[in-house]
Short mmCIF file of all heavy atoms in Angstrom, two decimals:
data_model
loop_
_atom_site.label_atom_id
_atom_site.label_comp_id
_atom_site.label_asym_id
_atom_site.label_seq_id
_atom_site.Cartn_x
_atom_site.Cartn_y
_atom_site.Cartn_z
N ARG A 57 36.00 -37.28 82.82
CA ARG A 57 35.53 -36.06 82.06
C ARG A 57 34.60 -35.14 82.86
O ARG A 57 33.49 -35.52 83.20
CB ARG A 57 34.80 -36.50 80.79
CG ARG A 57 34.33 -35.33 79.95
CD ARG A 57 33.73 -35.84 78.65
NE ARG A 57 33.48 -34.67 77.79
CZ ARG A 57 32.37 -33.94 77.83
NH1 ARG A 57 31.42 -34.29 78.59
NH2 ARG A 57 32.29 -32.91 77.02
N GLY A 58 35.08 -33.95 83.16
CA GLY A 58 34.22 -32.91 83.74
C GLY A 58 34.01 -32.96 85.20
O GLY A 58 34.17 -33.95 85.89
N ARG A 59 33.50 -31.87 85.71
CA ARG A 59 33.24 -31.75 87.19
C ARG A 59 32.04 -32.55 87.61
O ARG A 59 31.88 -32.85 88.74
CB ARG A 59 33.07 -30.28 87.56
CG ARG A 59 34.23 -29.43 87.10
CD ARG A 59 34.08 -28.00 87.52
NE ARG A 59 34.34 -27.90 88.95
CZ ARG A 59 34.96 -26.89 89.52
NH1 ARG A 59 35.48 -25.92 88.81
NH2 ARG A 59 35.13 -26.86 90.82
N HIS A 60 31.19 -32.89 86.64
CA HIS A 60 29.98 -33.70 86.99
C HIS A 60 30.31 -35.18 87.08
O HIS A 60 29.48 -35.93 87.56
CB HIS A 60 28.91 -33.47 85.86
CG HIS A 60 29.36 -33.95 84.55
ND1 HIS A 60 30.34 -33.26 83.83
CD2 HIS A 60 29.08 -35.11 83.83
CE1 HIS A 60 30.56 -33.95 82.69
NE2 HIS A 60 29.84 -35.05 82.71
N ASP A 61 31.46 -35.57 86.62
CA ASP A 61 31.88 -36.96 86.69
C ASP A 61 32.50 -37.24 88.04
O ASP A 61 33.64 -36.78 88.36
CB ASP A 61 32.92 -37.21 85.58
CG ASP A 61 33.50 -38.68 85.60
OD1 ASP A 61 33.00 -39.46 86.45
OD2 ASP A 61 34.47 -38.92 84.82
N LEU A 62 31.79 -37.90 88.89
CA LEU A 62 32.24 -38.10 90.27
C LEU A 62 33.49 -38.95 90.44
O LEU A 62 34.11 -38.98 91.49
CB LEU A 62 31.09 -38.70 91.10
CG LEU A 62 29.82 -37.82 91.18
CD1 LEU A 62 28.78 -38.58 92.05
CD2 LEU A 62 30.13 -36.46 91.78
N ALA A 63 33.81 -39.66 89.38
CA ALA A 63 35.07 -40.47 89.40
C ALA A 63 36.28 -39.62 88.99
O ALA A 63 37.42 -40.01 89.22
CB ALA A 63 34.94 -41.65 88.47
N CYS A 64 36.01 -38.46 88.41
CA CYS A 64 37.07 -37.60 87.92
C CYS A 64 37.59 -36.72 89.07
O CYS A 64 36.80 -36.15 89.80
CB CYS A 64 36.55 -36.69 86.77
SG CYS A 64 37.76 -35.60 86.10
N HIS A 65 38.89 -36.58 89.22
CA HIS A 65 39.49 -35.81 90.31
C HIS A 65 38.95 -34.41 90.28
O HIS A 65 38.90 -33.69 91.30
CB HIS A 65 41.01 -35.83 90.23
CG HIS A 65 41.62 -37.16 90.57
ND1 HIS A 65 42.90 -37.48 90.25
CD2 HIS A 65 41.10 -38.22 91.17
CE1 HIS A 65 43.18 -38.70 90.68
NE2 HIS A 65 42.08 -39.18 91.26
N ALA A 66 38.56 -33.91 89.09
CA ALA A 66 38.11 -32.52 88.91
C ALA A 66 36.76 -32.32 89.58
O ALA A 66 36.35 -31.21 89.77
CB ALA A 66 38.04 -32.15 87.43
N ALA A 67 36.09 -33.41 89.92
CA ALA A 67 34.72 -33.28 90.57
C ALA A 67 34.84 -32.58 91.90
O ALA A 67 33.90 -31.97 92.40
CB ALA A 67 34.10 -34.67 90.74
N LYS A 68 36.04 -32.67 92.52
CA LYS A 68 36.25 -32.00 93.77
C LYS A 68 36.84 -30.58 93.63
O LYS A 68 37.30 -30.02 94.59
CB LYS A 68 37.16 -32.85 94.71
CG LYS A 68 36.50 -34.13 95.14
CD LYS A 68 37.47 -35.08 95.78
CE LYS A 68 36.81 -36.42 96.07
NZ LYS A 68 37.76 -37.51 96.24
N GLY A 69 36.85 -30.21 92.38
CA GLY A 69 37.31 -28.81 92.13
C GLY A 69 38.80 -28.78 91.69
O GLY A 69 39.44 -29.81 91.62
N LYS A 70 39.26 -27.56 91.49
CA LYS A 70 40.62 -27.30 91.01
C LYS A 70 41.56 -27.22 92.18
O LYS A 70 41.38 -26.34 93.12
CB LYS A 70 40.64 -26.05 90.20
CG LYS A 70 41.89 -25.81 89.41
CD LYS A 70 41.63 -24.53 88.60
CE LYS A 70 42.83 -24.22 87.72
NZ LYS A 70 42.54 -23.00 86.88
N THR A 71 42.50 -28.14 92.28
CA THR A 71 43.50 -28.12 93.39
C THR A 71 44.85 -28.10 92.75
O THR A 71 45.03 -28.20 91.59
CB THR A 71 43.38 -29.39 94.27
OG1 THR A 71 43.69 -30.52 93.45
CG2 THR A 71 41.91 -29.55 94.77
N GLU A 72 45.83 -28.07 93.68
CA GLU A 72 47.26 -28.07 93.18
C GLU A 72 47.52 -29.29 92.34
O GLU A 72 48.21 -29.24 91.31
CB GLU A 72 48.16 -28.00 94.42
CG GLU A 72 49.62 -27.83 94.09
CD GLU A 72 49.89 -26.55 93.24
OE1 GLU A 72 49.14 -25.55 93.43
OE2 GLU A 72 50.83 -26.58 92.47
N ARG A 73 46.93 -30.44 92.78
CA ARG A 73 47.19 -31.67 92.11
C ARG A 73 46.43 -31.70 90.73
O ARG A 73 47.01 -32.12 89.70
CB ARG A 73 46.65 -32.84 92.96
CG ARG A 73 46.95 -34.20 92.24
CD ARG A 73 46.55 -35.38 93.14
NE ARG A 73 45.17 -35.42 93.57
CZ ARG A 73 44.50 -36.53 93.73
NH1 ARG A 73 45.08 -37.69 93.55
NH2 ARG A 73 43.25 -36.49 94.15
N THR A 74 45.17 -31.27 90.77
CA THR A 74 44.33 -31.44 89.54
C THR A 74 44.37 -30.31 88.51
O THR A 74 43.73 -30.38 87.47
CB THR A 74 42.86 -31.68 89.98
OG1 THR A 74 42.36 -30.48 90.57
CG2 THR A 74 42.76 -32.86 90.89
#
Side-chain angles (χ1 to χ4, degrees):
Chain A
R57 181 176 191 271
R59 306 184 72 141
H60 62 287
D61 176 7
L62 299 179
C64 181
H65 290 164
K68 291 171 187 157
K70 194 173 179 179
T71 65
E72 188 56 33
R73 181 175 61 147
T74 65

